[in-house]
Amino acid sequence: MNVFDPAAFDRFAVVAFGTPEVVAAVEELGGSIGDISITNLQDNTFFAEIAIATPSGDVRLDARPSDAIATGVRVDARIWASEEVLDASGVEFEQ
């Protein structure tokens, strides 16, 4: 395949994994979902990571925030956002 030929990509299917598939794949590989972190806000776009504990060590998986939050809710994980991200988003909390 010529990677510079856009028409070459027409021959490949794009597979999107949803929350149940991500959780099942992690568990099938002997891992577990840890915390969810909303890590950044840039150009009005949030970024997130899913912490995964595996038998060979901990990893962080970049994810769309909606998918990360849905995954966290599904496995009852803690969901975090830094004060910097909250401040940048304009969200205000009463104390």
Side-chain angles (χ1 to χ4, degrees):
M1 173 176 116
N2 179 349
V3 295
F4 299 106
D5 178 10
F9 289 99
D10 290 341
R11 296 189 298 269
F12 295 93
V14 174
V15 177
F17 293 99
T19 300
E21 292 86 5
V22 169
V23 172
V26 168
E27 291 174 350
E28 181 70 23
L29 294 170
S32 61
I33 304 288
D35 293 346
I36 306 302
S37 300
I38 309 303
T39 58
N40 196 8
L41 174 61
Q42 184 176 352
D43 298 325
N44 293 320
T45 301
F46 287 93
F47 295 84
E49 293 179 343
I50 301 171
I52 302 172
T54 72
S56 59
D58 295 341
V59 296
R60 299 194 71 77
L61 176 67
D62 289 333
R64 293 184 305 189
S66 58
D67 292 336
I69 291 169
T71 299
V73 168
R74 186 175 190 90
V75 300
D76 199 28
R78 292 182 188 156
I79 301 172
W80 302 96
S82 71
E83 285 189 38
E84 292 83 12
V85 170
L86 293 176
D87 288 344
S89 71
V91 174
E92 294 186 23
F93 292 96
E94 291 183 27
Q95 299 205 14

